[in-house]
Amino acid sequence: MFFRFIIGDNTGTLLILPVNFNAVKVHYGYNDLKFRNPVVTTGIFDGVHRGHRVVIEQIKKRAAELKGETVVVTFHPHPRQVLNQNSQAIQLLTGIEEKISLIEKCGIDHVVLINFDRDLSLMSAADFFEKILCGKIGTKHFVAGFSHHFGRMAEGDKETIRSIADNYGISYEVLEPVKIGGIIVSSSAVREALLTGRIEEANNLLGYDYFMNGTIIEGRKLGRKIGFPTANIKPDYPDKLIPGNGVYAVEIYLKDKKYYGVMSIGYNPTVNRDQNIKSVEVNIFDFEGNIYGEKVCAVFRYRIRDEMVFDNISELSRRIELDRQEALRLLKK
């Protein structure tokens, strides 16, 4: 489903990202494409983090020099969802609409979205470069990130790019890794930071605050019994990465309005005996009303604490009040 979503970045600016993709042309598949001097990059671009955006800025620079158009070639579903079906499911930073919207915000002319299936996974790196990037897209200049691999068994690397590009008279460049605080920026690094609750580190690597779009669903209504009603959120993308268990200071965007809130991710060990049921629930400040079925966007700003077990409900209530105070302090600073 396509819908509008709103995120806050870590500069404090609000970003309203449309999903009708007016500023970027999305091409589903690679047939019948006609670009003017296309400057191309390829990749998964999960999260569209700071490393990705360095690559995107470079193709914009080269396109301006060549009086050409920028083209981002990406894939859906994620290759690991096709190739590793029996392993643990990959947790994605962005759903496909979110990813395209973030690419659009970078000022790209075209996104070529290629269906990743078993047949494509068996295509050699040479065939992919020659038949698709050269034959179908007509690449004039190619830009790759430092760790970019493509083709069957990820066999394509910078040497493959060099040999094929030289044969076709295509100019190319492979960029150096982007480092922040000594960490190489990658989707894997962002995932690891989020899963271990290092939300501010993840946001720094992303270049914006991590967000989750979802739908308000009915929960067990335990929060109401202790004076802090919560809204349970079901992520709109089943594979969306949910940050590590704990309590977070969040911004909530609901019906085009921003609210502050405290989000709890985990198993509610004080009041929940069934530790197989994990929940994502938020206490929204200064809000009342029935919002079941409503779309919501949660923006993760700070992590307040780990999930804890309390001796009784009174202790839990006192801690939640302290969490609310700390969230307000952090969000308003």
Side-chain angles (χ1 to χ4, degrees), residues 32 44 62 64 93 95 112 134 144 207 217 222 226-227 249 282 308 316:
D32 303 318
I44 304 303
R62 298 304 184 208
L93 303 173
V112 176
C134 297
I217 60 172
L222 296 175
I226 59 176
V282 59
M308 300 169 63
L316 173 61

Side-chain angles (χ1 to χ4, degrees), residues 109-247:
D109 298 315
H110 302 275
V111 170
V112 176
L113 184 60
I114 297 178
N115 178 54
F116 191 92
D117 56 17
R118 285 284 176 179
D119 289 340
L120 187 66
S121 75
L122 297 175
M123 181 180 288
S124 70
D127 280 351
F128 178 79
F129 206 103
E130 292 174 355
K131 294 180 179 180
I132 297 179
L133 297 185
C134 297
K136 296 292 186 179
I137 294 175
T139 302
K140 297 298 182 185
H141 183 80
F142 183 74
V143 178
F146 80 99
S147 63
H148 183 58
H149 287 76
F150 60 97
R152 181 181 54 219
M153 303 294 291
E155 64 189 4
D157 56 14
K158 61 183 179 182
E159 290 303 316
T160 310
I161 295 169
R162 179 189 59 77
S163 62
I164 298 175
D166 287 346
N167 287 338
Y168 279 82
I170 296 170
S171 56
Y172 64 93
E173 56 194 305
V174 178
L175 304 185
E176 293 297 317
V178 176
K179 292 185 179 181
I180 297 177
I183 300 173
I184 295 177
V185 181
S186 68
S187 299
S188 296
V190 176
R191 292 188 195 104
E192 197 272 334
L194 288 170
L195 288 171
T196 53
R198 305 192 321 269
I199 194 72
E200 292 177 70
E201 178 183 318
N203 290 345
N204 194 28
L205 296 174
L206 286 168
Y208 60 86
D209 293 326
Y210 188 66
F211 62 93
M212 180 176 65
N213 288 297
T215 303
I216 302 297
I217 60 172
E218 191 165 355
R220 289 167 294 159
K221 301 180 181 179
L222 296 175
R224 295 181 184 277
K225 298 178 182 179
I226 59 176
F228 299 99
T230 59
N232 286 65
I233 301 176
K234 179 182 178 181
D236 284 340
Y237 298 99
D239 300 314
K240 182 78 171 183
L241 185 149
I242 298 174
N245 292 357
V247 177

Side-chain angles (χ1 to χ4, degrees), residues 37-41 58-59 62-63 66 69-71 140-141 143:
N37 294 332
V39 179
V40 179
T41 188
Q58 190 67 5
I59 68 171
R62 298 304 184 208
L66 294 172
E69 295 179 291
T70 52
V71 181
K140 297 298 182 185
H141 183 80
V143 178

Side-chain angles (χ1 to χ4, degrees), residues 28-39:
Y28 298 92
Y30 46 77
N31 291 316
D32 303 318
L33 300 176
K34 293 183 180 180
F35 303 133
R36 182 183 72 257
N37 294 332
V39 179

